[in-house]
């Protein structure tokens, strides 16, 4: 009888331990599922909030007619531009046409980032932006002001200077302001600083082969929506 009781007690202990293990494993699995569910809910809520706070905007193209004057000494330059705008970024590309002799001299790439958009911070019809501009001049002529200075400094070379063509690269950065005129039409103005450097530059000229200076840009942009 004692042996039977011991055996029954032993089986009972074994069953109890096994049951505890099963229950423990079940609770552990249940807790893991609860944690995973909670994490999933948190990420779902954060994603939903982000979608509400930062809605995805479609990009749109536009056209711009701009003019610039900068440190390169090539005079006033015209930029018939095409741009792509998405969210706060705007990307421009344009051929460079010198006002003097309507000479197509190079290409400009420009990036603008809107710091204060229309309707933000009490700006009803204004937009504040910063910009970075890269310019490559492949066949540029000297502007009138640079030619005048050159003829005064080196009168013996005055006949040849008008025919000289220059190659250079330029980079500028600064800030600007867009003013809404009509529905999709804006007046764009910007001011910045930077510089240029020329290639294969003749050393006998008064004109500097590289220099620092400012850039001034103004014109009209039209969103194509």
């Amino acid at each position: 009888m004692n042996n039977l009781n011991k055996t029954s007690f032993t089986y009972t202990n074994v069953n109890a331990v096994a049951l505890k293990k099963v229950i423990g494993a079940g609770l552990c699995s249940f807790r893991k599922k609860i944690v995973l569910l909670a994490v999933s809910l948190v990420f779902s809520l954060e994603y939903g909030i982000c979608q509400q706070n930062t809605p995805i905007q479609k990009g749109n193209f536009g056209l711009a007619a701009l003019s610039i004057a900068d440190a390169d000494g090539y005079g006033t330059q015209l930029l018939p531009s095409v741009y792509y705008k998405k969210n706060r970024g705007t990307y421009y590309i344009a051929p460079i046409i010198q006002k003097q002799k309507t000479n197509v001299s190079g290409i400009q790439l420009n990036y603008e980032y809107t710091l204060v958009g229309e309707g933000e911070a009490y700006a009803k019809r204004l937009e504040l932006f910063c910009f970075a501009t890269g310019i490559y001049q492949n066949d540029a002529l000297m502007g009138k002001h640079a030619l005048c200075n050159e003829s005064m400094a080196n009168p013996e070379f005055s006949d040849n200077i008008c025919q000289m063509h220059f190659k250079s690269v330029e980079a500028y950065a600064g800030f600007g302001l867009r003013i809404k005129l009509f529905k999709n039409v804006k007046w764009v103005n910007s001011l910045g600083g930077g510089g240029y450097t020329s290639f294969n530059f003749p050393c006998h000229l008064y004109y500097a082969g590289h220099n620092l200076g400012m850039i001034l840009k103004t014109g009209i942009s039209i969103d194509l929506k």
Side-chain angles (χ1 to χ4, degrees):
M1 178 66 71
N2 290 334
N3 292 334
L4 181 61
N5 289 336
K6 288 181 180 179
T7 304
S8 299
F9 181 76
T10 302
Y11 281 121
T12 303
N13 286 342
V14 171
N15 291 336
V17 171
L19 182 60
K20 286 182 180 180
K21 289 182 178 180
V22 171
I23 293 173
L27 289 174
C28 183
S29 178
F30 181 73
R31 287 172 183 170
K32 287 182 179 179
K33 290 180 180 179
I34 291 295
V35 172
L36 290 174
L37 180 60
V39 172
S40 300
L41 288 173
V42 169
F43 278 110
S44 298
L45 288 173
E46 287 184 352
Y47 179 78
I49 292 171
C50 290
Q51 289 293 95
Q52 290 179 357
N53 292 339
T54 56
I56 299 175
Q57 298 181 6
K58 293 183 178 180
N60 64 276
F61 287 91
L63 301 175
L66 306 169
S67 64
I68 62 171
D70 56 28
D72 58 17
Y74 302 148
T76 302
Q77 300 160 53
L78 307 178
L79 306 174
S81 308
V82 176
Y83 63 85
Y84 176 74
K85 183 177 182 181
K86 186 174 184 180
N87 297 328
R88 292 181 176 270
T90 308
Y91 306 84
Y92 290 78
I93 185 170
I96 300 174
I97 304 174
Q98 290 183 272
K99 187 177 179 181
Q100 179 183 353
K101 298 182 179 180
T102 61
N103 177 53
V104 180
S105 59
I107 188 171
Q108 183 205 55
L109 299 176
N110 185 67
Y111 173 73
E112 295 178 358
Y113 181 82
T114 302
L115 299 172
V116 179
E118 184 181 344
E120 299 176 0
Y122 305 102
K124 293 183 179 180
R125 303 175 66 88
L126 304 177
E127 293 181 9
L128 177 66
F129 64 90
C130 59
F131 73 90
T133 294
I135 296 174
Y136 173 66
Q137 300 278 15
N138 182 62
D139 191 32
L141 298 169
M142 273 193 184
K144 290 182 179 181
H145 183 69
L147 286 173
C148 181
N149 291 338
E150 196 68 36
S151 62
M152 293 176 62
N154 295 309
E156 65 274 18
F157 299 115
S158 59
D159 294 335
N160 298 327
I161 295 173
C162 296
Q163 308 299 326
M164 295 183 67
H165 295 255
F166 299 88
K167 293 184 179 182
S168 63
V169 291
E170 308 174 41
Y172 301 92
F175 296 90
L177 192 66
R178 302 188 195 98
I179 303 173
K180 185 176 181 180
L181 301 178
F182 307 106
K183 184 178 180 180
N184 296 328
V185 180
K186 297 175 183 178
W187 180 26
V188 184
N189 299 278
S190 57
L191 179 67
Y196 70 92
T197 183
S198 299
F199 305 107
N200 301 324
F201 186 76
C203 299
H204 65 273
L205 296 181
Y206 172 77
Y207 173 79
H210 56 273
N211 206 350
L212 300 176
M214 301 183 69
I215 183 172
L216 175 64
K217 186 185 302 183
T218 186
I220 299 294
S221 68
I222 304 174
D223 290 338
L224 302 178
K225 294 183 178 180

